[in-house]
Amino acid sequence: MFYYFLITPLFLLIATTVSSSARPDSAASEPISEPLVFDILHSYHVPSAHDLHQSTFTDSQFAYTDLDAPTFTLKSRPTSVFRPRSWESVEHARLRSLHDAQSEPVEWYETQMLGPDVEDKHTLAQLGRMTANAYQLPGHKNWFELDPSWDVNASFPFGWDNDEDGFRGFVFRARDNNTIVLSIKGTTLQGPTSKKDKLNDNLLFSCCCARVDFSWIFSTVCDCYSWSALHWRCDDVCLSEALIQDSLFYTTGMNLVRDLIFLYPSANIWLVGHSLGGSLASLLGSTFGLPAVAFEAPGERMAAQRLHLPLPPPRAPSLLPAVPVTHVYHNADPIPQGTCTGAASLCAQAGYALETRCHLGKSIVYDTVRKLKWHVDVQKHPIRQVVEKVLDADGPWPDGEDGEERDVPMAREEADCVDCYKWEFGDYKKRL
């Protein structure tokens, strides 16, 4: 999220693969895992938040012959997911809870699909490259070549001009339309999207409107703090109301995912992203029952609660919702661990209140402190560094206190995690 100054217009690349998949409602027939082979085919235009439902596909101006088309492979595996019977019921239940404080049941069904094999080192590294490429156009120095035949000097169309300030990323599509990968851009510090990136960060990942301490009284993003001489208090109703606005990327992402589901009703759709983009991928994957892989993302569990997201039931013996989300981060990055906090932190000095640490789904945590001797530092956050020095690094990695080592650490739930423990949340503000 931090230290990416190159801004990417949202043009979404579409790519190709050979794969086999089951339709979302065909749980009786388990999909068969096969390697997926991708290359670029189309671009996808997603308008800014004020102009939703006008997404369009266009042919890419960057054409390949069959012989020189760049390709890269991913491994898939059968994945069990919960999906709502209707997307409309999810949004209706969410808005009813948000506006009227009334609960409404959502019916979920369990089905099988092909999801990314998150235990495969090469697959995680390739998903990391897709995620990193959401930050800039092909040809930039930070663009990852996904195959030796990739022409980095070529250009292809993008979804909007550089002066747009909305939700951005890429789409990769399979040759037979059976697999779609949506990659979502995270925060950039300077550029057209920076202002809204920061707003989304501070609304979703701060404890109370980005009020780091009393010196932030003029830097908050909403007015939900309730003064108390003895306690840190925040008004829950105010927080929920602050998330009702067009600039919130979650709303834009919902419309994009619905467009993709409409265009590819039988495809396996995966979501990936880095930092803010990873948290958005997780929230959207949880909403639609789609596998999501989030790299170095701030904790989004509290954001899901504040957005009033209906979540699927847990699978025993877990008590947490059974969302198809895998977080991937390392323990020298303070942002996903919620430790880049306090007025003296680099995050706060840059104007970001990234205070949450609890994630949905399961987390794969690379022990870079022990293996690579890294110190905890926000400069270890950029996705390119994660790809090159962590995901591509030779294993095995220490995994757990028992000393066991694996090429990819085991994905585990963050069952005992607590966010914003020093704050009290309730109905503190007087309303007419």
Side-chain angles (χ1 to χ4, degrees), residues 198-212:
K198 180 182 286 188
L199 174 64
N200 278 262
D201 281 322
N202 286 339
L203 279 173
L204 294 174
F205 311 125
S206 69
C207 291
C208 188
C209 303
R211 191 183 180 98
V212 173

Side-chain angles (χ1 to χ4, degrees), residues 83-87 89 106-109:
R83 289 188 177 158
R85 287 290 178 188
S86 97
W87 315 122
S89 68
V106 172
E107 184 181 359
W108 300 85
Y109 69 95

Side-chain angles (χ1 to χ4, degrees), residues 27 32 49 53 123 134 142-143 183 207 212 243 276 311 321 359-360 374 427:
I32 301 173
H53 304 301
T123 296
N142 287 322
W143 175 268
S183 174
C207 291
V212 173
L243 294 177
L276 169 62
L311 296 175
H359 298 90
L360 295 170
W374 282 1
D427 189 358

Side-chain angles (χ1 to χ4, degrees), residues 41 70 84 244 253 278 299 388:
L41 185 61
I244 307 172
E388 294 178 338

Side-chain angles (χ1 to χ4, degrees), residues 164-292:
E164 293 286 351
D165 61 353
F167 187 93
R168 294 181 174 184
F170 290 86
V171 169
F172 297 86
R173 190 190 73 182
R175 246 174 231 158
D176 57 6
N177 293 344
N178 274 349
T179 304
I180 305 291
V181 179
L182 169 62
S183 174
I184 304 171
K185 184 187 78 68
T187 299
T188 46
L189 291 181
Q190 297 179 0
T193 69
S194 297
K195 183 177 179 179
K196 283 189 178 178
D197 289 345
K198 180 182 286 188
L199 174 64
N200 278 262
D201 281 322
N202 286 339
L203 279 173
L204 294 174
F205 311 125
S206 69
C207 291
C208 188
C209 303
R211 191 183 180 98
V212 173
D213 63 15
F214 292 104
S215 68
W216 279 53
I217 189 171
F218 300 113
S219 304
T220 56
V221 291
C222 49
D223 185 26
C224 301
Y225 175 75
S226 180
W227 187 89
S228 169
L230 300 176
H231 304 285
W232 291 77
R233 287 182 172 176
C234 195
D235 189 84
D236 275 325
V237 177
C238 175
L239 282 173
S240 294
E241 291 175 347
L243 294 177
I244 307 172
Q245 50 187 301
D246 292 338
S247 59
L248 192 67
F249 287 164
Y250 171 78
T251 305
T252 310
M254 278 191 63
N255 286 281
L256 170 57
V257 173
R258 291 178 68 172
D259 284 345
L260 291 175
I261 291 171
F262 176 79
L263 289 165
Y264 301 99
S266 61
N268 301 300
I269 298 177
W270 306 349
L271 311 177
V272 299
H274 168 252
S275 201
L276 169 62
S279 295
L280 292 168
S282 172
L283 293 170
L284 294 168
S286 300
T287 300
F288 291 95
L290 301 173

Side-chain angles (χ1 to χ4, degrees), residues 32-48:
I32 301 173
S33 176
E34 293 185 4
L36 308 174
V37 184
F38 288 79
D39 60 24
I40 295 177
L41 185 61
H42 297 285
S43 67
Y44 187 54
H45 170 70
V46 179
S48 54

Side-chain angles (χ1 to χ4, degrees), residues 115-187:
D117 185 354
V118 296
E119 296 179 358
D120 179 66
K121 172 185 173 181
H122 178 71
T123 296
L124 281 185
Q126 291 298 326
L127 291 176
R129 282 169 166 76
M130 287 186 187
T131 301
N133 285 349
Y135 281 92
Q136 59 273 309
L137 295 169
H140 283 289
K141 64 179 182 179
N142 287 322
W143 175 268
F144 274 107
E145 294 187 45
L146 302 177
D147 185 86
S149 63
W150 192 281
D151 185 355
V152 297
N153 295 318
S155 61
F156 25 64
F158 47 88
W160 49 35
D161 295 330
N162 281 337
D163 59 353
E164 293 286 351
D165 61 353
F167 187 93
R168 294 181 174 184
F170 290 86
V171 169
F172 297 86
R173 190 190 73 182
R175 246 174 231 158
D176 57 6
N177 293 344
N178 274 349
T179 304
I180 305 291
V181 179
L182 169 62
S183 174
I184 304 171
K185 184 187 78 68
T187 299

